Amino acid sequence: MPKDLLTLLLDFDDQVRKDQAQPAAFLHRRDRKFALACQAEGQRPSPRAWLRYVNAVTARPSPTRRNDARLTFWHRCTVGFAAVGAMLGVITMVGLLFYDGTNQINITVMLAFAALQLLLALLTSVQALMGWQPWGLLMERISSRLGYSPATGSALHSLQPQLMARAAHTGGLAFGITGVLTLIVLVVVQDLAFGWSTTLNTSPEAFHRFIRFIALPWQDLWPTASPSLDLVADSRFFRITEGSVETAPARWGEWWPFIVMTWLCYLVLPRLLLLAFANGHLGARARRQLARHPGLAALQYRMETPALDTGNAYSDAKDQPDLATTAAVHPVPSACVIIRWAHAGADTAPWSHSETHPEPALNLTAGGSASLVDDRQTLRRAGLQLSSDPRKAVLVVTRAWEPPTGELADFLAEARQSWPQGVRLALLPASVDPTGQPPQHQLSQWLRFAERQQDPLIYVCSAHAPAAPGHCDATGHTAGEVQ
Amino acid sequence: MSAAPVFAAVGHPNKGKSSVVATLSQNDAIAIALEPGTTRHRQTYPLTVDGDTLYTLVDTPGFQRPRRVLAWLEAHSLTASDRAETVAAFVTQHRGHDDFHDECELLAPVLEGAGIIYVVDGSVPYSAENEAEMTILRWTGQPSLALINSIGPDDYSDTWQAALGQFFQVVRRFDAVRAPFDQHLSLLKAFGQLEPRWEQPLERAVQHLQEQRLRRSEQASGLIATALEDMMLWQEQRILTATQATDQSKDALVNSLRERWYLHQRQREQSLRLTIEHLYQHNRIQRQEAELTWHSDHDLFSENSRQVWGVSRTYLTTAGFGAGALGGVGIDALTFGASFGTGALIGGLIGAAGSYFYGDRLTLSALKIGPLRDGLQTASFGPVQDSQFGYIVLGRAIDHWWHISRRNHAGRELLDLAPTESHWLEQLDRDSRNTLQRFFDKCRKNNNLDDEIRQRLRHAIEAAFAAYDDWRLNSA
């Protein structure tokens, strides 16, 4: 059914357009799930089934052929062609059978007209077969003037030649049917005189052979509708009638069965067959277009391909830590105790001793591979030194590249509790290169660590810091020398 | 069916656990920062195929107080046989305790049966303070693998390898930011070898990932082919009233249409780039193009682009000859060979002449003004008459694809599409070159493109991917 196929094609095309706004991962999951469900049920995943699945909850019943808004233009077009064809059929036949008693109705003219109609019908089909649409622009304009959405870009666009052929054949069929009905009516209500006439030097025998050839399809079925040689010979007429043979008046009317059959056989029947062919052709084109629809290839790909989810749905990229700090890098204080956390800076001293910075009295270790008992021992020894030394500062050397952990925070908190009040705790992050200074991003993490301790006497120092401590901006850059 | 294996990335804070997970799960939305404690809760990243989980990666916070944990464990364990139970007891005891929040988060999946992926930074010196962590992990009794990730430029991985070998079954080096895709798969296979029952799901996962990679390449070639067709055939149109047509000078009209044409092409290229990035699950890449730096040296229409991505006239003429000869062969076929290849020769010569003549026409793209109808005139600009434009678009698209397809999801640096130094298309096979030229010629003539030539174009682009890859590897 071409109409069903058309609706299917348009529904599919619409859904593919809607899907363009959906994330690819969602489409893949959805369609793969559909394919797996079909496989489980032993069904073939057709586009029709897919549409039912996609619209299972939200869709209304599919529009019937008469109320599908997307086809309204072509529906009206076909009805219009049929109405105009029917009207023209009546007018044309009345014109062809116009008889005022002065001259016979020429069979030759009627045959020529039927041949022209047959030719037009064939041309319409050839046009549709070849996909020509010289009237395409006109149809676009008419449809846009009537307020219909343009077919350009839609699935309907490439089917316009077939839709047009169907409308034209419907009009032609209506033309033929009303024409033959008008002929019968006029035959009944009027006394029509048919004859044949031609300027060519044709003998009645030759014309009879031609007529018999035309009447071949029905000569056995209805012999009366196949004119005899006598009738052909008797019904020839000339414009100038002097010297012509007298013919019985009843003979002139014996042509009408032939005319009716000619009209039916060469005008109505071809149109009917071509209309059926146009319908079939439209269906075949719609089916082919659906099969070649880029959306169908993509759908098949999604259905055949396993939906691989690598676990990329979770996102916390926006939950970045706040890297801003107001903490500053201070100069290295004159300390009485040095504690090397995890043996940091064990190779060389990351600062130079001077008169203002005499060597610390105690050089201890904590953290790293040391045990918690060792840490407590270190705290106790440092506490003893602090109680007797006027330099109330402890230098804690750390590895700048290792992030400060909870263990160091615990150690500092314990130190604060066990040591005398007012002792400064200076953290000195040592670089991998004993002579160099740590890079800024390493120094920044220590500044933020010191700030988190919320103790003004815990701070970060550097041998490269200026005498007056610089301030760190949000990125950790100091206003001083530290880079 | 047995439960899918789970692998927990654990270790010291700030050593690249999240980077490893981001790369393996192809997720560029995992927070990665040079700040300890960025990861506060464990997060799972399952790899599923049609809803079936093949394996799950778990990103965890780093150890904060490993020595205190170890001290507790040693204090509560009697023999080596109760160590795993003691670790479980520790987690039960301290769940909800602020000091051990991170340890509980990282040990919980391991105690639930996860394989251990212990991540260290091989660019900093080995430290004995990691030994407490490694000991705790050994106490859990779970299959384990150590991964030496390199965050910085220095290399201490040999020392790390020697130390880690004493604690872990397998030690691997893996640069989460720079490791090529083959190494991702190799690492996953290594995960599977930790436990016999994990081998099969990991093998399946590797196979699916390989297939996904191939499919993405095919899809990328299709996307580039479509964009190339759109851009080559794009026509900028403007409807003018009769007054506008007479008032506006032709130059002004050309300039206005050209600008709009350029803008459209840039936007189309931009949308292609985004689509390719999303295809490879890169949703957060920062590129220079995102900023208003269109008129830089990297611009689609800059002279620099032309020099870098355009092709020589000799190349154009040769490719044009090949493309023309393909058409001319049809004449020879019609004469059943009686023309002795004259058709191919003539077609080739016409193709070569056309390509040579139209090879430098970007600045001469045609302005067409249609007839006056109902008081309106249509002015149109394009399609481009220059095959070079196609080569520029293609070159830039393939370069971008190459960077994206090789970019790991742990990478957070700006995507820098630096211009190349010489032309890579010379390495493309003759058939693909002819197909490209034939496609560009058809676009130039605004001929209808059928499905066959589109299909051939996609294959030619896939061949170009391979040629570009080879050229990059050889020129590196």
Side-chain angles (χ1 to χ4, degrees):
Chain A
M1 292 293 284
K3 189 73 180 186
D4 290 343
L5 279 168
L6 257 185
T7 308
L8 176 65
L9 172 67
L10 293 174
D11 287 349
F12 185 83
D13 191 58
D14 284 351
Q15 186 58 46
V16 169
R17 281 169 203 277
K18 280 182 203 163
D19 282 354
Q20 283 170 357
Q22 298 280 17
F26 163 74
L27 295 179
H28 196 174
R29 274 198 305 274
R30 181 194 68 186
D31 299 335
R32 178 67 179 167
K33 193 175 175 186
F34 163 70
L36 291 172
C38 285
Q39 196 178 32
E41 291 168 15
Q43 289 178 351
R44 197 172 150 269
S46 65
R48 202 184 295 275
W50 177 72
L51 282 171
R52 270 202 304 272
Y53 165 78
V54 170
N55 299 311
V57 181
T58 53
R60 295 171 183 174
S62 281
T64 60
R65 65 175 63 187
R66 290 205 177 275
N67 58 14
D68 189 343
R70 297 163 299 186
L71 292 169
T72 306
F73 172 72
W74 284 104
H75 176 66
R76 291 189 177 170
C77 211
T78 308
V79 171
F81 266 81
V84 171
M87 205 163 62
L88 284 177
V90 174
I91 294 168
T92 307
M93 191 51 82
V94 168
L96 283 172
L97 299 183
F98 179 72
Y99 180 58
D100 60 358
T102 57
N103 239 340
Q104 289 85 344
I105 299 160
N106 195 347
I107 298 294
T108 321
V109 172
M110 297 205 70
L111 289 178
F113 189 81
L116 176 70
Q117 283 293 316
L118 185 60
L119 184 69
L120 286 175
L122 290 172
L123 273 179
T124 303
S125 287
V126 168
Q127 201 178 336
L129 279 171
M130 303 300 287
W132 298 333
Q133 40 181 330
W135 34 262
L137 198 64
L138 178 73
M139 295 305 285
E140 286 284 325
R141 283 192 174 187
I142 292 173
S143 67
S144 66
R145 288 209 173 166
L146 292 175
Y148 295 100
S149 53
T152 313
S154 80
L156 219 50
H157 183 66
S158 62
L159 295 176
Q160 285 196 148
Q162 290 74 40
L163 286 162
M164 190 64 187
R166 196 174 65 169
H169 284 313
T170 308
L173 184 63
F175 177 88
I177 290 170
T178 54
V180 80
L181 289 175
T182 309
L183 169 65
I184 291 166
V185 169
L186 289 178
V187 163
V188 172
V189 301
Q190 271 193 320
D191 175 20
L192 300 173
F194 296 97
W196 64 279
S197 180
T198 171
T199 315
L200 301 174
N201 189 17
T202 309
S203 67
E205 288 76 17
F207 193 74
H208 179 249
R209 278 198 299 278
F210 173 60
I211 290 295
R212 275 185 69 80
F213 175 73
I214 290 172
L216 264 178
W218 65 84
Q219 64 182 359
D220 293 331
L221 199 69
W222 192 10
T224 319
S226 178
S228 63
L229 179 60
D230 291 345
L231 177 62
V232 173
D234 291 350
S235 56
R236 182 169 191 177
F237 70 95
F238 297 93
R239 194 160 51 85
I240 300 166
T241 54
E242 277 180 299
S244 64
V245 181
E246 272 298 319
T247 303
R251 295 289 274 168
W252 299 111
E254 286 178 16
W255 277 94
W256 75 266
F258 172 76
I259 302 294
V260 168
M261 287 311 289
T262 301
W263 200 268
L264 280 174
C265 201
Y266 292 104
L267 223 142
V268 176
L269 188 63
R271 283 289 187 184
L272 195 62
L273 293 175
L274 289 174
L275 177 62
F277 175 76
N279 260 318
H281 186 216
L282 180 63
R285 286 300 298 257
R287 190 180 293 113
R288 192 173 74 163
Q289 198 171 328
L290 182 62
R292 292 183 177 181
H293 199 293
L296 186 63
L299 171 65
Q300 276 168 347
Y301 167 81
R302 293 196 295 268
M303 290 195 298
E304 288 164 4
T305 315
L308 181 63
D309 188 341
T310 55
N312 67 340
Y314 177 76
S315 170
D316 64 354
K318 287 178 184 168
D319 304 332
Q320 296 282 348
D322 183 9
L323 299 182
T325 175
T326 52
V329 179
H330 294 250
V332 178
S334 176
C336 66
V337 178
I338 177 168
I339 299 173
R340 297 179 188 276
W341 184 257
H343 294 275
D347 303 333
T348 51
W351 72 95
S352 56
H353 302 297
S354 63
E355 282 185 18
T356 53
H357 285 73
E359 198 168 339
L362 271 179
N363 199 334
L364 305 171
T365 59
S369 56
S371 68
L372 295 174
V373 177
D374 293 340
D375 284 5
R376 281 187 207 105
Q377 182 67 15
T378 296
L379 285 173
R380 197 183 59 76
R381 288 180 64 193
L384 286 172
Q385 181 64 34
L386 283 164
S387 58
S388 59
D389 200 306
R391 294 174 291 175
K392 301 293 182 196
V394 175
L395 197 60
V396 181
V397 186
T398 62
R399 293 164 181 248
W401 63 90
E402 292 292 354
T405 57
E407 271 183 357
L408 179 62
D410 293 347
F411 180 79
L412 297 179
E414 220 169 310
R416 175 60 67 225
Q417 282 181 352
S418 57
W419 292 346
Q421 292 230 330
V423 173
R424 284 173 292 152
L425 273 161
L427 298 168
L428 179 65
S431 169
V432 175
D433 173 13
T435 57
Q437 55 181 320
Q440 190 57 50
H441 71 270
Q442 291 178 1
L443 200 55
S444 299
Q445 66 181 353
W446 287 100
L447 286 168
R448 289 191 290 273
F449 172 76
E451 194 176 43
R452 282 200 297 274
Q453 304 314 306
Q454 296 182 326
D455 183 340
L457 296 177
I458 296 177
Y459 58 88
V460 177
C461 65
S462 166
H464 302 273
H471 288 278
C472 274
D473 60 19
T475 57
H477 288 279
T478 56
E481 191 190 353
V482 177
Q483 290 296 314
Chain B
M1 187 177 165
S2 61
V6 179
F7 302 96
V10 298
H12 209 61
N14 218 15
K15 297 299 175 191
K17 297 181 290 298
S18 295
S19 296
V20 170
V21 172
T23 286
L24 293 181
S25 65
Q26 300 181 19
N27 185 338
D28 65 351
I30 295 178
I32 295 172
L34 290 172
E35 177 69 6
T38 301
T39 309
R40 290 288 294 147
H41 303 281
R42 64 176 148 148
Q43 181 61 44
T44 56
Y45 301 89
L47 180 132
T48 61
V49 176
D50 293 336
D52 291 340
T53 303
L54 295 187
Y55 68 82
T56 301
L57 293 175
V58 186
D59 189 15
T60 65
F63 280 102
Q64 288 292 334
R65 295 170 172 89
R67 290 186 306 148
R68 283 176 65 186
V69 176
L70 188 58
W72 192 95
L73 294 177
E74 284 169 343
H76 292 79
S77 170
L78 281 175
T79 63
S81 61
D82 68 9
R83 284 176 176 174
E85 282 176 28
T86 314
V87 178
F90 172 83
V91 173
T92 308
Q93 173 81 20
H94 295 91
R95 190 168 279 134
H97 192 295
D98 280 350
D99 281 357
F100 297 107
H101 169 269
D102 290 5
E103 277 76 9
C104 289
E105 280 289 298
L106 79 91
L107 287 171
V110 176
L111 293 169
E112 288 160 12
I116 296 166
I117 312 298
Y118 185 67
V119 183
V120 300
D121 180 7
S123 68
V124 297
Y126 171 74
S127 168
E129 66 182 300
N130 291 63
E131 287 172 13
E133 298 169 3
M134 294 190 279
T135 307
I136 294 166
L137 293 173
R138 197 163 57 181
W139 274 46
T140 63
Q142 283 301 106
S144 58
L145 176 147
L147 213 53
I148 305 174
N149 181 34
S150 284
I151 296 174
D154 299 329
D155 185 18
Y156 297 89
S157 46
D158 287 341
T159 329
W160 278 104
Q161 183 122 22
L164 292 167
Q166 297 171 37
F167 288 88
F168 296 95
Q169 292 166 268
V170 184
V171 181
R172 296 288 290 248
R173 298 181 194 208
F174 183 76
D175 186 333
V177 176
R178 283 170 288 272
F181 185 69
D182 286 348
Q183 280 188 25
H184 303 186
L185 300 183
S186 162
L187 183 63
L188 288 174
K189 283 180 185 170
F191 288 0
Q193 284 159 8
L194 291 177
E195 179 84 29
R197 66 194 157 95
W198 293 347
E199 194 168 351
Q200 198 194 0
L202 267 297
E203 282 290 341
R204 273 182 65 204
V206 166
Q207 192 188 339
H208 281 295
L209 286 167
Q210 272 172 328
E211 286 167 4
Q212 184 193 52
R213 182 98 177 153
L214 283 174
R215 284 194 302 270
R216 281 179 175 169
S217 179
E218 288 168 13
Q219 285 176 291
S221 72
L223 290 168
I224 292 175
T226 308
L228 208 52
E229 184 180 334
D230 290 350
M231 293 173 79
M232 288 298 288
L233 292 175
W234 180 250
Q235 201 174 35
E236 193 65 46
Q237 286 192 332
R238 197 174 153 193
I239 309 284
L240 302 167
T241 61
T243 327
Q244 281 175 325
T246 48
D247 286 355
Q248 200 166 14
S249 77
K250 197 175 172 185
D251 284 349
L253 186 59
V254 169
N255 285 338
S256 146
L257 283 171
R258 186 193 291 127
E259 279 308 308
R260 281 167 55 181
W261 188 85
Y262 277 22
L263 181 67
H264 174 272
Q265 303 290 33
R266 286 169 180 144
Q267 285 170 343
R268 185 66 184 84
E269 188 189 51
Q270 188 81 345
S271 86
L272 170 66
R273 291 190 171 196
L274 275 175
T275 317
I276 297 275
E277 285 163 14
H278 289 173
L279 177 67
Y280 283 90
Q281 294 181 187
H282 286 290
N283 300 310
R284 306 176 63 82
I285 284 184
Q286 288 186 313
R287 281 180 283 115
Q288 274 190 305
E289 287 84 349
E291 297 166 15
L292 294 173
T293 53
W294 278 113
H295 296 283
S296 70
D297 282 350
H298 295 252
D299 185 39
L300 182 61
F301 299 105
S302 69
E303 188 53 36
N304 186 298
S305 286
R306 197 172 183 77
Q307 283 171 8
V308 170
W309 298 115
V311 291
S312 67
R313 280 204 157 185
T314 314
Y315 175 96
L316 274 180
T317 311
T318 319
F321 184 90
L326 276 176
V329 164
I331 299 170
D332 295 329
L334 283 176
T335 61
F336 298 103
S339 52
F340 300 108
T342 318
L345 180 65
I346 294 172
L349 289 174
I350 293 171
S355 300
Y356 185 83
F357 179 69
Y358 284 103
D360 198 20
R361 288 284 176 109
L362 184 57
T363 50
L364 299 178
S365 197
L367 171 76
K368 290 177 198 144
I369 297 181
L372 190 67
R373 268 188 199 161
D374 302 332
L376 297 173
Q377 264 186 312
T378 306
S380 61
F381 186 87
V384 66
Q385 293 298 297
D386 183 4
S387 311
Q388 291 280 25
F389 177 68
Y391 285 108
I392 294 169
V393 172
L394 179 66
R396 287 166 58 88
I398 290 181
D399 181 56
H400 174 254
W401 163 84
W402 190 84
H403 280 92
I404 293 300
S405 65
R406 271 147 194 80
R407 184 181 172 98
N408 287 346
H409 291 74
R412 296 289 187 270
E413 73 280 17
L414 195 73
L415 178 63
D416 182 20
L417 299 173
T420 53
E421 288 169 1
S422 62
H423 211 283
W424 56 278
L425 263 179
E426 310 285 349
Q427 298 191 5
L428 190 58
D429 65 277
R430 191 170 295 277
D431 280 353
S432 301
R433 285 160 68 169
N434 290 344
T435 301
L436 287 175
Q437 187 59 39
R438 206 166 157 219
F439 169 77
F440 292 141
D441 286 346
K442 272 185 176 279
C443 289
R444 177 166 56 78
K445 293 172 192 164
N446 211 359
N447 284 354
N448 282 333
L449 299 168
D450 54 32
D451 288 341
E452 191 201 338
I453 192 154
R454 288 195 180 103
Q455 189 67 25
R456 287 171 64 91
L457 176 67
R458 278 198 288 275
H459 290 316
I461 292 174
E462 280 176 42
F465 283 170
Y468 189 84
D469 200 26
D470 284 348
W471 174 77
R472 275 278 186 177
L473 286 174
N474 292 331
S475 62

